[in-house]
């Protein structure tokens, strides 16, 4: 049995390694991101030379000048890839982490924008990740913009979304036309089921492949050494997905 | 200055003060937050550096807070911050949303004593649209009119409050690599710090301890509070108490549940100490 989290981690790992995208030499991973963290560890433990900076690692935290070091590194262009999500994500890859309704989230308040309004501009690429794929998350237009998907000419910006990975599919983002296209479907999904669950319009190529399964080697790494690396920072996740507790 | 208790530190903070607090992964003094609740503080303006967590949620729930400036408020794996969400919805607090590096940058401007500093990003975000105190100007070093960039005003908190592993005989404090606490101490008019213990000598005389120390220059007062960060982690000394925070998150879903939690976890322990 392949757990959905394992498939998502392997899918993210393939996007990290996409030869068409700018190189990922240094990746930073935020707090509430166990699946992106698993994907990064998978890439690293497969032997690819990549530096991982895990913001919430308690022992061996990479930053010795406080968390502002992450933003200073990113400002200089020394973080190649970051992951972002959103309470709402729209068809132009705008992210809303603030909340629904009137500013500052008088409908449903989400935690807040964190570093998104900076990181989305200053990293050469961002992989958007949100497991819940429903019309309330993937909306036509976000109620509030924490971080815009595209910027007008003349505004300094190194990159934007490479892709959006959800529990149902993978979308590619095309900044030149500010639209998503469907790249692959997870098992059990169809173009129609994805369309029904998505509040924004997107492009669909003639044939849409299925998202590949993780390989045996990837699964073995995820269940072994990746879990070993993650258990301190994400104990709940490791228990839920791999049945491992810290004492083991 | 070494004071007797976190309550003595909290007594130095007047109502309405601008108080900078680090987040749950970076040594907030939950001991001072609880003491502020016991003293019945009102109208505090909290600055999350750069985000806010447990200490901010209990201060809001106890009615101590008028305004929060932060980049997010969350209880981590325990989910959304319940008293923050309720107070926002009921209009009892003003929330000024920011983004993490903007808060660091405003404090760094205060550290340097300059009136503002620029920051990339932000243009096109509704965060900027809702911050009349932030300005967009053309980069003065670019060809005329090109390269818009955001300017952020310096922010000088009245107080920085945080927890450190130890203080020495000279009032220097040591907290290892969590240097955002140094930034807020440098930027603030006063820093009030709880510590696990006091040690002899001076960290500044020890080459290995000095880089993780904050000089007494910046530290107005300290007090011992054992497990003063709890339920938040303290470096390699103790971990994050997930069960405690999850139990809080469940209790604080309702006003009544929160009041009962306050009574049991903030007021009763102090009364017990006073009676002893």
């Amino acid at each position: 049995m392949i757990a959905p989290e394992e498939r998502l981690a392997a899918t993210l790992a393939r996007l990290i390694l996409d030869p068409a995208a700018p190189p990922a030499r240094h990746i930073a991973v935020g707090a509430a991101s166990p699946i992106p963290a698993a994907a990064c560890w998978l890439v690293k433990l497969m032997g690819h030379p990549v530096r991982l900076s895990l913001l919430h690692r308690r022992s061996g935290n990479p930053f010795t000048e406080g968390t502002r070091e992450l933003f200073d590194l990113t400002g200089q262009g020394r973080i190649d890839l970051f992951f972002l999500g959103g309470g709402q994500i729209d068809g132009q890859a705008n992210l809303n982490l603030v909340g629904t309704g009137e500013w500052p989230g008088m409908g449903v308040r989400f935690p807040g924008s964190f570093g998104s309004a900076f990181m989305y501009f200053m990293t050469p690429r961002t992989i958007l990740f949100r497991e819940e794929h429903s019309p309330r998350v993937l909306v036509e237009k976000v109620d509030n913009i924490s971080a815009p998907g595209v910027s007008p000419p003349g505004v300094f910006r190194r990159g934007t979304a490479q892709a959006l990975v959800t529990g149902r599919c993978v979308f590619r983002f095309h900044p030149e036309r500010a639209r998503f296209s469907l790249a692959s479907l997870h098992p059990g999904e169809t173009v129609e089921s994805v369309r029904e669950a998505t509040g924004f319009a997107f492009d669909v190529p003639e044939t849409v492949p299925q998202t590949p399964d993780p390989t045996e080697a990837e699964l073995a790494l995820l269940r072994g050494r990746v879990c070993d690396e993650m258990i301190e920072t994400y104990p709940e996740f490791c228990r839920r997905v791999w049945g491992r507790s810290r004492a083991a | 200055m070494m004071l007797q208790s976190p309550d003595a530190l909290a007594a130095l903070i007047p109502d309405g003060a601008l108080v900078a607090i680090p987040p749950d992964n970076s040594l907030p003094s939950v001991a001072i937050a609880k003491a502020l609740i016991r003293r019945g503080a009102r109208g505090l303006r909290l600055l999350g550096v750069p985000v806010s967590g447990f200490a901010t949620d209990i201060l809001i729930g106890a009615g101590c807070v008028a305004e929060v400036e932060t980049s997010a408020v969350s209880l981590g794996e325990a989910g959304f911050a319940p008293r923050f969400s309720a107070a926002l919805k009921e209009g009892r607090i003003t929330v000024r949303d920011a983004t993490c590096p903007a808060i660091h940058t405003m404090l760094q401007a205060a550290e340097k004593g300059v009136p503002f500093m620029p920051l990339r990003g932000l243009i096109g975000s509704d965060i900027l649209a809702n911050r009349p105190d932030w300005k967009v100007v053309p980069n003065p070093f670019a060809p005329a009119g090109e390269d818009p960039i955001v300017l952020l005003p310096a922010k000088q908190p009245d107080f920085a409050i945080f927890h450190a592993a130890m203080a020495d005989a000279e009032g220097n404090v040591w907290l290892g690599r969590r240097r955002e606490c140094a930034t807020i101490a440098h930027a603030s008019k006063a820093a009030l710090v709880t510590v696990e213990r006091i040690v002899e000598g001076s960290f500044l005389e020890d080459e290995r301890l000095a880089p993780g120390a904050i000089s007494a220059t910046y530290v107005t007062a300290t007090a011992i509070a054992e497990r003063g960060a709890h339920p938040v982690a303290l470096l390699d000394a103790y971990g994050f108490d997930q069960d405690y925070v999850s139990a809080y998150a469940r209790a604080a879903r309702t006003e009544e549940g929160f009041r009962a939690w306050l009574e049991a976890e903030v007021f009763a322990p102090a009364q017990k100490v006073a009676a002893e």
Side-chain angles (χ1 to χ4, degrees), chain B:
Chain B
M1 153 169 76
M2 169 62 67
L3 297 180
Q4 280 306 309
S5 65
D7 294 85
L9 295 179
L12 299 176
I13 302 175
D15 287 354
L18 176 60
V19 180
I21 304 180
D24 285 355
N25 63 338
S26 190
L27 311 181
S29 175
V30 175
I32 298 178
K34 287 181 171 179
L36 282 165
I37 293 170
R38 284 192 291 270
R39 110 155 170 68
R42 289 291 174 269
L44 297 178
R45 293 169 294 139
L46 302 186
L47 178 68
V49 185
V51 300
S52 307
F54 181 79
T56 294
D57 203 57
I58 64 174
L59 283 165
I60 291 171
C64 304
V65 178
E67 187 180 311
V68 184
E69 177 167 3
T70 190
S71 307
V73 189
S74 158
L75 296 180
E77 285 199 344
F80 290 6
R83 290 297 95 200
F84 161 74
S85 301
L88 174 65
K89 188 146 281 186
E90 292 158 17
R92 286 187 280 111
I93 52 169
T94 301
V95 178
R96 286 211 278 172
D97 275 276
T99 189
C100 300
I103 288 180
H104 293 305
T105 300
M106 291 189 291
L107 291 168
Q108 286 179 274
E111 264 187 309
K112 293 177 202 306
V114 296
F116 62 85
M117 277 177 69
L119 183 70
R120 288 290 192 195
L122 273 168
I123 294 170
S125 165
D126 287 333
I127 298 171
L128 179 63
N130 285 278
R131 292 297 302 241
D133 54 330
W134 296 358
K135 295 186 190 311
V136 180
V137 301
N139 171 358
F141 296 97
E146 290 182 16
D147 192 18
I149 190 164
V150 178
L151 299 186
L152 304 167
K155 183 161 292 274
Q156 182 180 42
D158 296 318
F159 294 92
I161 62 173
F162 53 89
H163 187 71
M166 52 188 175
D168 66 19
E170 297 179 1
N172 304 304
V173 299
W174 187 89
L175 43 63
R177 76 187 82 194
R178 300 313 321 201
R179 301 302 295 174
E180 47 270 273
C181 292
T183 302
I184 60 173
H186 297 171
S188 299
K189 293 175 192 160
L192 307 179
V193 186
T194 50
V195 296
E196 296 288 318
R197 62 185 195 279
I198 314 276
V199 299
E200 294 295 306
S202 168
F203 303 139
L204 304 183
E205 298 295 335
D206 183 328
E207 210 51 68
R208 284 165 305 171
L209 289 178
I214 299 173
S215 154
T217 306
Y218 305 104
V219 179
T220 306
T222 55
I224 290 178
E226 283 175 22
R227 296 181 66 77
H230 177 266
V232 171
L234 171 62
L235 309 178
D236 55 359
Y238 47 83
F240 188 82
D241 189 344
Q242 187 64 55
D243 292 344
Y244 186 92
V245 176
S246 297
Y248 167 78
R250 282 192 299 275
R253 271 187 218 142
T254 64
E255 178 67 24
E256 304 72 49
F258 175 74
R259 290 285 147 197
W261 182 91
L262 264 192
E263 201 47 55
E265 296 295 328
V266 178
F267 291 109
Q271 282 157 4
K272 183 164 164 278
V273 169
E276 274 165 5

Side-chain angles (χ1 to χ4, degrees), chain A residues 129-213:
Chain A
F129 176 68
R130 179 73 206 246
E131 271 180 284
E132 180 181 337
H133 183 145
S134 69
R136 72 169 193 162
V137 172
L138 303 187
V139 296
E140 189 184 356
K141 181 127 191 45
V142 293
D143 290 4
N144 296 292
I145 298 176
S146 291
V150 293
S151 299
V155 171
F156 185 92
R157 180 160 197 156
R158 290 204 179 93
T160 182
Q162 170 191 358
L164 164 61
V165 177
T166 74
R168 296 179 189 271
C169 70
V170 178
F171 293 109
R172 286 274 173 178
F173 187 61
H174 307 277
E176 66 291 347
R177 57 180 195 270
R179 264 176 88 86
F180 285 104
S181 68
L182 190 56
S184 74
L185 295 160
H186 302 343
E189 299 294 336
T190 63
V191 172
E192 268 325 296
S193 70
V194 166
R195 225 191 278 279
E196 251 172 56
T198 310
F200 57 73
F202 53 87
D203 298 332
V204 181
E206 241 167 67
T207 55
V208 183
Q210 183 166 314
T211 308
D213 288 347

Side-chain angles (χ1 to χ4, degrees), chain A residues 26-31 33 51-56 63 66-85 93 95 97 112-128 146-151 155-162, chain B residues 50-51 71 98-105 119-123 125 127:
Chain A
H26 190 170
I27 308 174
V29 184
S33 310
R51 179 179 289 279
L52 297 185
S53 288
L54 306 171
L55 275 56
H56 278 252
F63 300 122
T67 49
R68 79 174 162 85
E69 214 182 324
L70 167 72
F71 304 106
D72 292 350
L73 274 171
T74 305
Q76 294 180 50
R78 295 173 73 164
I79 298 286
D80 300 309
L81 169 63
F82 197 63
F83 295 89
L84 288 171
L95 310 180
L97 291 84
S113 302
F114 293 93
S116 63
F118 179 80
M119 300 299 285
Y120 208 14
F121 288 78
M122 302 305 282
T123 39
R125 58 176 162 137
T126 300
I127 297 177
L128 304 177
S146 291
V150 293
S151 299
V155 171
F156 185 92
R157 180 160 197 156
R158 290 204 179 93
T160 182
Q162 170 191 358
Chain B
V51 300
S71 307
T99 189
C100 300
I103 288 180
H104 293 305
T105 300
L119 183 70
R120 288 290 192 195
L122 273 168
I123 294 170
S125 165
I127 298 171

